[in-house]
């Protein structure tokens, strides 16, 4: 998803640009693993997010990129951007587009999408849907969150969505 905000740069630019050599797919998987290692070994903070972001940026800047590595890097970047006010909309759109790719019929090279599947931590689609529902609920978009939770049969979240949209009777029926 493209950045639509005019005062937020997509990437840093330098007077003397640094030319990065393309990395091999294994090296890109290692960068993604390193970003997850940073997250798991540091407290959740802005500094941790700033330390993780360059890894995802470097993976996304590579010319030759496998689908799964690109999707994982986009997801890492989206999870970091969800915390920002100016980048929240793009992050939600990116997670939604990753979810929408699940409904696309498998391409002829479906096996190529699974290349390096055990090298990265790409979650199953229901985890992505739950994560997007949580973001919607946090923003007060209870109806959209309800649409995410109902197919997953996440009853506690469904009840809280119905209560927040003023349909307590429907929530009571579900609880009983």
């Amino acid at each position: 998803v493209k950045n639509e905000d005019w005062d937020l740069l997509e990437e840093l630019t330098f007077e003397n640009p640094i030319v990065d050599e393309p990395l091999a797919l294994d090296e890109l998987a290692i960068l993604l693993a390193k970003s997850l290692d940073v997250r798991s070994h540091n407290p959740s903070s802005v500094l941790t997010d700033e330390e993780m972001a360059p890894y995802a940026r470097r993976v996304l800047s590579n010319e030759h990129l496998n689908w799964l590595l690109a999707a994982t890097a986009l997801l890492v970047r989206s999870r970091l951007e969800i915390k920002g006010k100016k980048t929240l909309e793009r992050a939600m759109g990116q997670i939604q587009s990753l979810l929408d790719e699940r409904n696309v019929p498998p391409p002829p090279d479906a096996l190529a999408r699974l290349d390096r599947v055990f090298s990265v931590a790409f979650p199953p689609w229901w985890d992505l849907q739950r994560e997007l529902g949580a973001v919607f609920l946090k923003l007060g978009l209870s109806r959209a969150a309800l649409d995410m939770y109902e197919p997953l049969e996440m009853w506690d979240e469904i009840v809280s969505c119905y209560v927040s949209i003023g349909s307590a009777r429907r929530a009571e029926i579900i609880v009983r």
Side-chain angles (χ1 to χ4, degrees), residues 8-18 20 50 54 57:
L8 186 65
L9 294 175
E10 183 74 32
E11 60 186 44
L12 296 175
T13 55
F14 299 100
E15 289 179 7
N16 299 325
I18 301 169
D20 292 325
E50 290 296 324
R57 245 190 330 265

Side-chain angles (χ1 to χ4, degrees), residues 78-131:
S78 297
R79 286 176 174 165
L80 296 173
E81 289 180 347
I82 277 182
K83 299 172 186 173
K85 293 177 183 172
K86 293 189 174 214
T87 55
L88 175 66
E89 185 178 349
R90 179 173 82 162
M92 286 189 325
Q94 186 62 63
I95 294 174
Q96 184 65 52
S97 69
L98 287 173
L99 274 171
D100 291 343
E101 285 194 28
R102 164 180 73 94
N103 298 327
V104 173
D109 60 341
L111 288 177
R113 289 180 119 182
L114 296 177
D115 187 29
R116 309 236 173 2
V117 69
F118 296 111
S119 300
V120 294
F122 192 75
W125 67 267
W126 54 85
D127 281 348
L128 286 176
Q129 196 165 352
R130 179 189 48 78
E131 188 174 332

